[in-house]
Amino acid sequence: MLKQETLSKNQQIVLDYIEKVNEPIKAYSILHNVQKKGIKAPLQVYRALDKLVEIGKIHKIESRNAFVACKNSNCQISKATAFSICESCEEVSEISDSKLSKYLKNFQDKAGMKFNKYNLEFFGLCKKCSVK
Amino acid sequence: MLKQETLSKNQQIVLDYIEKVNEPIKAYSILHNVQKKGIKAPLQVYRALDKLVEIGKIHKIESRNAFVACKNSNCQISKATAFSICESCEEVSEISDSKLSKYLKNFQDKAGMKFNKYNLEFFGLCKKCSVK
DNA sequence: TAACATTATGTAATAATATAACATTACTTA
DNA sequence: TAAGTAATGTTATATTATTACATAATGTTA
């Protein structure tokens, strides 16, 4: 049985906005844009973000302190995330590559640590920007 | 010929401290600990950190906003970084695995983006913490 | 349904992380 | 030695995130 089938009011407001913009967005930018919906304080946003990350509806782009909706419709919990980031235009895409995720999920480190999650961020120039 | 063979005063102070503590440390913690060496302001620390990251002497653990000395003695420029992070005790280790780095360096994204850098962070429980 | 636990909310204050702007000094190198 | 580049010093401020505390809504179960 799936946990958390329904989102709370604030969680839904924040998720709706993140899904609408469809690109990584920062917490305070979210705040400014959902104030008309009644969300007044940073903490209300951060709490919603925490929950949405936890249940896999969104991901955090750690190197950018930004949040983006998950594109893998079946991603219930984000344990395996990979992104490509253009250092010029800052475009971010989620990488869906089953070979890559399989490789990383099975990666065994020498210290014998058991992993339950990873985040991978690739940096470079997207096609558009490498032409410029 | 190698660029930047010698570090500036502030860069050296910051690097010395990071190498001494030998674990990830945050910018303001560095600041507090190097004030006796004459570094007074956050910006002095951040500027040194930026340069040290750029030349590969240290790495940033993005998910923790912390900095750690590079363990790969030959790592001049950090283009390929991988870490394991214990979510319980927060111990961080740099992963040196030539297969992994080869795999990721050669990873080709479907959008044809050309990568010049990546950062990978694995999360889990280290051996000590998984026993507890 | 009453009691309890859990989750979510509201609000204010503040902590922690990072950069902008500007003036000055030191280091390279042609 | 002049010009360009890199580093420094300093103040102020921007940005990101959490603590603390009170309250309300929701879920669980006896």
Side-chain angles (χ1 to χ4, degrees):
Chain A
M1 219 172 323
L2 291 175
K3 278 167 77 181
Q4 183 82 29
E5 295 181 51
T6 59
L7 298 175
S8 76
K9 190 188 68 173
N10 288 355
Q11 290 160 13
Q12 192 65 57
I13 290 169
V14 170
L15 178 59
D16 285 348
Y17 183 67
I18 295 175
E19 287 182 336
K20 194 180 94 188
V21 299
N22 200 32
E23 64 182 26
I25 186 164
K26 286 160 173 267
Y28 275 74
S29 174
I30 294 169
L31 175 59
H32 296 141
N33 283 284
V34 297
Q35 284 186 325
K36 51 198 164 226
K37 301 272 184 182
I39 289 182
K40 289 170 187 162
L43 191 49
Q44 294 174 295
V45 173
Y46 279 104
R47 286 197 282 222
L49 290 172
D50 284 350
K51 181 52 107 179
L52 292 168
V53 166
E54 187 190 323
I55 64 176
K57 291 290 189 185
I58 65 172
H59 303 305
K60 182 172 187 180
I61 313 297
E62 293 287 356
S63 67
R64 298 299 185 261
N65 298 316
F67 299 85
V68 70
C70 176
K71 294 291 173 46
N72 303 327
S73 54
N74 56 346
C75 179
Q76 286 296 321
I77 297 179
S78 29
K79 294 187 162 180
T81 51
F83 304 94
S84 67
I85 302 171
C86 175
E87 291 182 299
S88 173
C89 70
E90 290 293 321
E91 188 185 74
V92 173
S93 304
E94 186 168 358
I95 296 172
S96 302
D97 184 300
S98 55
K99 271 193 189 170
L100 176 67
S101 59
K102 195 174 172 186
Y103 183 89
L104 292 175
K105 272 179 198 161
N106 293 327
F107 178 75
Q108 188 59 47
D109 97 312
K110 286 162 188 160
M113 190 164 153
K114 183 65 195 150
F115 300 127
N116 59 47
K117 211 167 75 179
Y118 69 77
N119 180 59
L120 171 59
E121 298 181 6
F122 283 104
F123 305 91
L125 288 177
C126 71
K127 271 194 167 172
K128 280 183 214 159
C129 290
S130 46
V131 178
K132 281 174 196 165
Chain B
M1 215 174 327
L2 291 174
K3 279 169 75 180
Q4 183 83 29
E5 296 181 51
T6 60
L7 298 175
S8 76
K9 190 188 66 171
N10 288 356
Q11 290 159 15
Q12 193 64 59
I13 290 169
V14 169
L15 179 58
D16 286 347
Y17 183 68
I18 295 176
E19 287 182 335
K20 194 180 93 187
V21 299
N22 198 34
E23 64 182 26
I25 186 165
K26 285 160 174 269
Y28 275 74
S29 174
I30 294 169
L31 175 59
H32 296 140
N33 283 284
V34 297
Q35 284 185 325
K36 51 198 163 225
K37 301 272 184 183
I39 289 183
K40 289 171 188 162
L43 193 47
Q44 294 174 294
V45 173
Y46 279 105
R47 285 197 283 223
L49 289 172
D50 283 350
K51 182 52 107 178
L52 293 168
V53 167
E54 187 190 324
I55 64 176
K57 293 289 188 185
I58 65 172
H59 304 305
K60 182 172 187 181
I61 313 297
E62 294 286 356
S63 66
R64 298 298 186 261
N65 299 316
F67 300 84
V68 70
C70 177
K71 294 292 173 47
N72 304 327
S73 55
N74 56 347
C75 179
Q76 286 296 320
I77 297 179
S78 28
K79 293 187 163 181
T81 49
F83 303 95
S84 67
I85 302 171
C86 175
E87 291 182 299
S88 171
C89 71
E90 290 294 320
E91 188 185 74
V92 173
S93 304
E94 187 168 357
I95 295 172
S96 303
D97 184 302
S98 55
K99 272 194 188 171
L100 176 68
S101 60
K102 195 172 173 186
Y103 183 89
L104 292 176
K105 272 178 196 158
N106 293 327
F107 178 75
Q108 189 58 48
D109 138 88
K110 286 163 186 159
M113 191 164 154
K114 182 65 194 150
F115 299 127
N116 59 46
K117 209 166 74 178
Y118 69 76
N119 179 58
L120 172 58
E121 300 181 6
F122 282 104
F123 306 91
L125 288 178
C126 71
K127 270 195 169 173
K128 278 183 218 159
C129 290
S130 45
V131 178
K132 281 173 198 167

